[in-house]
Amino acid sequence: MMADRANNGNYHLGDITFRARTVGSTAWTTGDTSTSRVKLTASSVSGNTRAAANLAPTLPRGSLLNITRRWVVDDNVLQLLFDVTNSQTSAVEIGSLGAPLEFNNIFTDRTAAQTNTLCSLFDPYIGQDAGYVQVTPLLGTLPPLVVLPVGQSPLEGWRFLPESTVLTPFYQSQTFEGLYEWDFHTLAYAEDEWASTTPWNAPTSFVLQPGQTRTYGLQFRVAPSIREIESTVASTGQPVAVTIPGTILPADQIGKVFLNTNTTVANITVSPAGALTWATNTDALTAGWLGYTITPHTWGRSRLSVTYSDGRLQTIHYYVTKGATAALDDLGTFLTTSQWYTNTSDPFHRAPSVISYDRSVNAQVTNDPRVWIGGLGDEAGSGSWLAAAMKQFVQPDAAEVAKLEQFVNQTLWGTIQNRNNATVKMSVFFYQPDLVPNYVYPSNEDWTVWWSWNQASAWATGRGYDYVHVTAAYWAMYRVARNYPSLVSVHDWQWYLNQAVLTVATLTDGQVGYADDGLMGETVIHYLLNDLQREGLTANATLVQSKMKSRWQIWSTERYPFGSEMAWDSTGQEGVYIWSTFFNDSVTALNALNSIIAYQPVVAHWGYNGNARRYWDNIYGGKLMRIERQIHHYGSGLNALPLIESFEANPTDYYLLRAGFGGLSGPLSNIDEEGFASASFHSFADTLAWDAYSGDYGPNFSGHSMGMGTFIINHPDFGWQAFGGNIVATSPAVQVQIKDSVRRRVFIAPLGALLSLDSGAFSTISYNPTAKTVTVTITPVADGTTGAASAPVGRLVIAQSAPVAGVGLLKPTSSLATDAGAFVIPFTNGVGTVTLS
């Protein structure tokens, strides 16, 4: 690719950019070695310096800074160093200084095999002196590269590098996301392009006195595996932070952070002041770790800054949400009020429905030229009604269920889905003025682009992804009707379950495109199959299983069965993993899992922790349309599902839990204080804000609803910890308050036991490791909610990966009735309790 990237303005490793000014002046002078390239004269070298050159020929005349670049090998570690000298007679302030990073993330004109074996993705931990960049090969099995600072070279900022997008290999496109820059100083940007937002870190500058030189640099180390990136960083003496349960904290959950350092902590501060409070704890069991308990207070972004006794600064980035169940309360209310579309005179028959929303103007989106957004189709148009349906699965609300019944029985079944053959339209809204002469399409919109489909294109039924969303809506309503029967009035649970099966059958009848690809959110089909088996509906269960088996058989013959509509994607892995695991194909399942591990990082930053790689979806579903690394788009919630399922099968692989729980937590951060949920957060440093469109948030929440839970572990370094809950005691029993948003799933790792509820909410779990007993407390409704319906009974399902030595399989110690594989737990005075052993 280098022949196509040899132009001025193409960035490469070894370039440098800066803005500087003499002290006392206000205007910045800009330098950028990519702008006008000339051949450099190599300097003579000795010792561990392997190559060097002064960069003056590639910088503007009269540059305030004299910069020499050196490539050094120190103790067998490659370093890239920049000696920055003030050659003026007065002091010079460096307002920005950045080192562009270039790794092979170019998928253009490459086959799936070439892309997966040759290419990598890279993501930052924007942690100041403790910052680093991880470069992970797409296979997920090859050793990753870790880029670390040399000396005082903090990762203060992370800036996307603009380039021309018109020439091959098509920079900033679906096949080439683009490149980023490690910024050592960012004040000049903060005063200009970034002035309208709050940067990740406090912006700094540095004043060089006349004749003074400061060296900035990066070092490149290879880690044995992606799971060992943190230990590789720690081996250099650089501080490492491990956060539990992650860096997205609901207001009613306590966090933990463990610092691995060879020095001591001198000071800890929080920005904004009071957003978090911290206290030391004694959880750490292994020397070298310092433990702190983090209590959240203020909604939104916050930063924990740790200053060490040697002067180094580490920043840990948090996002605080409302209490987890309260956030879902708000989400359901917003979706079924502000986003509830009731215009019965609409010629496209979109009412009643939960329709897309534009938060920047607080209005429903009915006329976007990307017709699916206002057309209840695709991910960006179905996202809102999908989220509303899945919210009822985990937290049914009588008023919301009533509206969802209207939507499902009037608009979903009949308008979105054809009643005569169960096919699903790509969009019910279209652009064809002659067919709707009384409808006024806004004249200020451009209706000439390909995505302004006419009726024939919009009503096409060949896109398999759309069928999964429809299946999920029916299945969610089945769960409501089955477990909260008093909330439904139009159809019984059997009807909704049959509709879900009918939709899957139509998806896989050979007439629908992409049906043999992994489909985002299709874990719901696994849930559907499980429910059919539990209900004893053998014929339908056999049908669904045989259809899924046919798809898996195709994948089992392929090394990279992750195809989609795009050249490269992170949507197919979920389905490939789920069904390969179901059909005992460990090879294909592991290939899918490793692929996810390559693009879903674990770092002490809420925006990147568990954030699966997505970068083009704002073009198709965002208000701000551009190619950029998206933060907590639906890849987070959906790719978390295989990670969590794999952890439940391997309950000492805590990396999987950290990555998976980070992904599951992502969709909570998308929900604002009034309940609006954005499709994703813009990561570019000049924006750092949630997109105004609701867009395709629904699949993200779908993953959250199916995978979120509380996970209780006994970590070798940190002892008893809970992801999704608060541990209040550890002896003689481990007592946990269940605080996750769903309150339906609890996994006890030492037992390999998954406890799940069809109805009711987990309140507390008490696990006695010595006696191997578990006491479960269930309530009819989760605390923290205001409108959620009370369950008539608790319905508990127990799943265990293997019998526990000396105990066997967990079962209730008292006699309980069963229904469709669930133990029925009655409530007495608002509480149900059962002991398992």
Side-chain angles (χ1 to χ4, degrees), residues 161-330:
L161 295 167
E163 287 193 17
S164 170
T165 60
V166 297
L167 300 175
T168 187
F170 305 112
Y171 193 86
Q172 205 173 1
S173 70
Q174 200 278 324
T175 57
F176 184 11
E177 176 186 344
L179 306 177
Y180 297 83
E181 177 179 79
W182 178 308
D183 287 317
F184 308 112
H185 301 295
T186 59
L187 180 65
Y189 293 120
E191 291 182 348
D192 192 357
E193 297 98 321
W194 305 355
S196 62
T197 190
T198 302
W200 292 125
N201 288 311
T204 69
S205 63
F206 186 79
V207 175
L208 277 177
Q209 298 302 320
Q212 181 182 0
T213 297
R214 177 172 170 179
T215 298
Y216 298 83
L218 305 175
Q219 57 177 304
F220 305 88
R221 293 176 180 261
V222 175
S225 69
I226 293 173
R227 285 176 172 83
E228 295 170 278
I229 287 175
E230 288 174 326
S231 60
T232 298
V233 174
S235 71
T236 70
Q238 182 166 308
V240 170
V242 170
T243 58
I244 293 177
T247 39
I248 295 174
L249 285 181
D252 55 357
Q253 293 182 33
I254 302 301
K256 305 285 183 67
V257 60
F258 296 93
L259 304 175
N260 185 288
T261 174
N262 56 12
T263 183
T264 58
V265 172
N267 187 39
I268 297 178
T269 60
V270 173
S271 178
L276 309 167
T277 54
W278 57 272
T280 58
N281 66 47
T282 58
D283 290 3
L285 305 176
T286 306
W289 290 99
L290 304 175
Y292 296 85
T293 299
I294 308 298
T295 303
H297 299 288
T298 304
W299 184 91
R301 286 172 52 192
S302 54
R303 183 177 66 241
L304 190 77
S305 298
V306 182
T307 302
Y308 294 93
S309 57
D310 59 6
R312 285 184 293 182
L313 171 65
Q314 177 172 23
T315 53
I316 302 166
H317 302 268
Y318 281 93
Y319 199 98
V320 176
T321 73
K322 282 189 174 182
T325 54
L328 265 58
D329 249 1
D330 293 343

Side-chain angles (χ1 to χ4, degrees), residues 35-232:
T35 301
S36 180
R37 297 193 183 281
V38 296
K39 185 174 178 59
L40 300 178
T41 301
S43 304
S44 59
V45 297
S46 61
N48 58 9
T49 298
R50 302 304 172 88
N54 187 275
L55 301 181
T58 69
L59 293 173
R61 289 180 178 272
S63 173
L64 296 176
L65 300 176
N66 187 348
I67 303 176
T68 295
R69 178 180 66 208
R70 290 186 289 136
W71 292 94
V72 171
V73 176
D74 185 14
D75 195 20
N76 206 36
V77 175
L78 179 65
Q79 298 178 350
L80 169 61
L81 305 180
F82 298 95
D83 300 322
V84 182
T85 301
N86 176 6
S87 56
Q88 311 302 310
T89 57
S90 58
V92 172
E93 181 183 13
I94 303 173
S96 73
L97 185 71
L101 298 180
E102 181 186 38
F103 302 105
N104 189 1
N105 61 345
I106 305 173
F107 309 152
T108 307
D109 296 329
R110 286 184 162 138
T111 65
Q114 290 170 332
T115 296
N116 280 279
T117 56
L118 298 176
C119 297
S120 300
L121 295 170
F122 56 106
D123 268 324
Y125 166 43
I126 312 170
Q128 293 283 26
D129 296 318
Y132 58 89
V133 172
Q134 57 184 57
V135 187
T136 52
L138 283 180
L139 281 180
T141 56
L142 299 177
L145 186 71
V146 186
V147 187
L148 296 146
V150 175
Q152 291 182 295
S153 306
L155 180 46
E156 180 174 293
W158 185 246
R159 186 174 71 95
F160 181 77
L161 295 167
E163 287 193 17
S164 170
T165 60
V166 297
L167 300 175
T168 187
F170 305 112
Y171 193 86
Q172 205 173 1
S173 70
Q174 200 278 324
T175 57
F176 184 11
E177 176 186 344
L179 306 177
Y180 297 83
E181 177 179 79
W182 178 308
D183 287 317
F184 308 112
H185 301 295
T186 59
L187 180 65
Y189 293 120
E191 291 182 348
D192 192 357
E193 297 98 321
W194 305 355
S196 62
T197 190
T198 302
W200 292 125
N201 288 311
T204 69
S205 63
F206 186 79
V207 175
L208 277 177
Q209 298 302 320
Q212 181 182 0
T213 297
R214 177 172 170 179
T215 298
Y216 298 83
L218 305 175
Q219 57 177 304
F220 305 88
R221 293 176 180 261
V222 175
S225 69
I226 293 173
R227 285 176 172 83
E228 295 170 278
I229 287 175
E230 288 174 326
S231 60
T232 298

Side-chain angles (χ1 to χ4, degrees), residues 438-453:
N438 295 323
Y439 190 81
V440 179
Y441 292 96
S443 59
N444 61 333
E445 299 284 4
D446 181 4
W447 298 95
T448 65
V449 184
W450 67 266
W451 48 47
S452 295
W453 293 330

